[in-house]
Amino acid sequence: MIQLMRVLCAVLAIVMAGSTVQAGKCKSQQCCVSAAPCLSGCNPCATMACKPVCQTVERTVMVPEMVTEMRKIKCTAYRAETRQRDITIYERVPETREVTQTFTVMRPETRTRMEKYIACKPVWKTSQKTYTVNVPYYETRTGTRQVKKTFWKDVTQEYTVNVPYTEKRTGTRQVQKVVMKDVVQEYCVNVPYTEKRQGTRTVMKCVPVKRYRTVCEDQGHWEDRPIKAACPAPACDNCGNCGDCCQTACAPVCTQRVWVPKIVQKKVEYTSYQQQCEQVPYTYEVRLCKPEKRTRTVKVCETVCVPEKYTYEVQLCKPEKRTRTMKVCEVKCVPQEYTYQVKLCKQETRTCDVKVCSYVKEEKTREVNYTVCVPEQKTCTRKITVCKRVPKVVKQNYTVCVPYTVEKEVPVQVCRQVARKVLVQVPVCSACETGCSKCK
């Protein structure tokens, strides 16, 4: 709408400039005495009563020109903001209630019934039985046995005794001595080095997006339209009455250049920038270590065995024969008589009465107790726990995108009035012929 008003203002300025130029032309034109008015421009009169001469004059005209300016506009951007809100959650609260419940219990009940059974009845009988018995008796006997007896006697005995004595000897022993020597040792060292690696990271990038908007464009054209010029200051000589002269023969007809607007709406493509996330590869350095084997010379303490002579004493023994008298015990077996008893058995036949048991089957009746489970309805009251949902208001953090206004400079096409110098042909009257008044 603002651009449309600017275009209309520019057109109006051009039209006014053109009318000013045309009016200037007509004011300087000579009035003809004939009834035919003067033609437009610098052409002479149609009746050739007056012969005007055209002259080129330089004039300054305001011309509209589109200029690109940088203007600040307000754009809307968004930032993340953390806010709090109240939400309702439901907690389970245990609640104890008393509930009356009916259930069935199987109660055992003892009952009695009569049943028949077969019993074995014992019957005892007496009978004689013959059996053999070994009857023991003792008998005295005489025997001979060997008895050991001890006899002592004096015996001369020769024995050997080891008599100790000391003897010095010389020997060689190994003595350990500490010797220092240089040894080449291999060790491992972690040598640091830098390695380049490839990774990706997220980059915010402004991407141009083509969009369309509707603008108004003036596709008008220029037209030359006839207008009546104002009556000159002095009245015509032939008319007598200035008013009649101006309305009829003395009124000049001029043209002015008029801009005829034609506003047309059309879609114009423009480019806007939109932020997009893009995974961009990048190179970064990582400090690593690699093992490297090196050698060094170190002092090593080594123990060496060296032979050394030394003197030591040895405790030895030498055998020596000696004689002693001692009592010796000698055991000899001597025969001896003794009396002993021997237990013997002799067989004897005897008779005894023996009871024999035999079983006779007999049918009897007895009373038997048995148990039956009888259902019984019972009612009880018990406590149960029920979870009740209780609403609770808690604070919750959430993130919203808050718009805010940012000023930025954008190029804008502005229509400006620019002064330009143009050459305009203006008619100038020459010497009048017979019948014409003096040129003004």
Side-chain angles (χ1 to χ4, degrees), residues 300-397:
V300 178
C301 177
E302 187 176 6
T303 304
V304 180
C305 293
V306 179
E308 184 183 44
K309 291 185 178 182
Y310 70 100
T311 303
Y312 62 96
E313 291 182 352
V314 180
Q315 193 80 18
L316 300 176
C317 294
K318 57 183 178 180
E320 183 178 325
K321 289 184 177 182
R322 294 181 182 181
T323 304
R324 63 184 175 184
T325 302
M326 59 184 302
K327 287 184 177 291
V328 178
C329 177
E330 184 178 353
V331 179
K332 293 182 179 180
C333 291
V334 179
Q336 182 182 2
E337 290 184 356
Y338 69 98
T339 303
Y340 63 95
Q341 289 183 347
V342 180
K343 188 175 182 179
L344 301 175
C345 293
K346 59 181 178 179
Q347 290 185 354
E348 183 178 331
T349 302
R350 296 179 182 180
T351 303
C352 65
D353 294 333
V354 179
K355 286 185 176 182
V356 179
C357 179
S358 62
Y359 292 93
V360 179
K361 291 183 180 182
E362 183 180 354
E363 187 175 332
K364 292 184 179 181
T365 303
R366 63 183 174 183
E367 186 177 346
V368 180
N369 296 327
Y370 64 96
T371 303
V372 180
C373 292
V374 180
E376 181 180 348
Q377 296 288 333
K378 287 188 178 182
T379 304
C380 68
T381 303
R382 63 175 182 175
K383 293 183 180 181
I384 62 172
T385 302
V386 180
C387 290
K388 184 179 179 181
R389 297 182 66 191
V390 177
K392 181 182 178 181
V393 178
V394 296
K395 298 288 185 180
Q396 184 188 32
N397 295 330

Side-chain angles (χ1 to χ4, degrees), residues 152-156 325-328:
W152 295 92
K153 65 177 180 179
D154 294 331
V155 177
T156 301
T325 302
M326 59 184 302
K327 287 184 177 291
V328 178

Side-chain angles (χ1 to χ4, degrees), residues 184-187 293-297:
V184 177
Q185 187 182 30
E186 191 178 51
Y187 65 98
K293 290 186 177 180
R294 296 181 181 179
T295 56
R296 62 185 174 188
T297 303

